Amino acid sequence: TSLEEVLKKAVSRLQNRQKTLIFTPNPEFLVFAQEKPAFKQLLNQAQISLPDGIGLVLVSRFLGQPLQGRVAGADAAAALLKKADQNHWRVGLIGARRGVVKERQQLVKKLCQRFSGAEIFILEETPGWQKKSWEIIFACQGMGEQEKWLVEKSRFLKFGILMGVGGGLDFLTGF
């Protein structure tokens, strides 16, 4: 699919007050999923899986089920943040590069500067976040951990987009 189609589907699901898990598998994800059936089960719970790696596109052609192209998770996250900026959505972040609190706070500061219309919060620093409404939650914990966290915590939410982005937000902010 294309980034535009992904964005349209995710926003439509959000407007219809549905939960949407978005994962961004690359070849390493699929190798790990073959070794760890529990991770494969997590991946299969996503409503949207983005082919975040040219290797997946090449393999899809070889298997006779060609994907339209690569859809980078960082690009999807940027597009969702732009929507959040335009619509004044609440965005929660969990985790960050290396989990260092100061770095996480600097990341949020940069995101708030770039997407000033969005309300961006660090979930670890937001008491009772599970009882609040969120349009988007980004998990920045790395492969495996972020997908597990999103699936487990999605039960607290009535609706919203929950996306694993790894270091994608660091990439967006130049951090």
Side-chain angles (χ1 to χ4, degrees), residues 128-171:
W129 70 265
Q130 301 93 331
K131 298 176 184 169
K132 299 179 188 214
S133 294
W134 301 93
E135 280 79 20
I136 303 172
I137 292 180
F138 290 120
C140 313
Q141 300 148 304
M143 178 182 67
E145 188 176 340
Q146 65 194 19
E147 289 77 20
K148 182 179 178 184
W149 188 93
L150 288 168
V151 168
E152 288 176 357
K153 302 305 181 192
S154 69
R155 64 186 167 99
F156 293 116
L157 306 173
K158 293 181 178 152
F159 69 96
I161 297 168
L162 300 100
M163 182 176 176
V165 294
L169 298 182
D170 292 336
F171 175 76

Side-chain angles (χ1 to χ4, degrees), residues 39-58:
F39 182 61
K40 183 177 181 179
Q41 288 178 333
L42 290 172
L43 289 180
N44 286 333
Q45 293 185 51
Q47 284 74 41
I48 300 173
S49 290
L50 305 179
D52 191 1
I54 194 65
L56 296 181
V57 175
L58 296 174

Side-chain angles (χ1 to χ4, degrees), residues 90-157:
R90 290 172 54 87
V91 178
L93 304 180
I94 184 77
R97 187 176 75 175
R98 298 188 306 263
V100 177
V101 172
K102 186 174 182 178
E103 289 179 357
R104 182 172 57 221
Q105 291 168 341
Q106 290 173 343
L107 173 68
V108 169
K109 183 178 178 182
K110 287 184 177 191
L111 289 171
C112 287
Q113 289 169 347
R114 185 167 172 190
F115 303 100
S116 60
E119 296 179 59
I120 303 174
F121 299 87
I122 300 169
L123 296 182
E124 295 101 324
E125 298 175 10
T126 307
W129 70 265
Q130 301 93 331
K131 298 176 184 169
K132 299 179 188 214
S133 294
W134 301 93
E135 280 79 20
I136 303 172
I137 292 180
F138 290 120
C140 313
Q141 300 148 304
M143 178 182 67
E145 188 176 340
Q146 65 194 19
E147 289 77 20
K148 182 179 178 184
W149 188 93
L150 288 168
V151 168
E152 288 176 357
K153 302 305 181 192
S154 69
R155 64 186 167 99
F156 293 116
L157 306 173

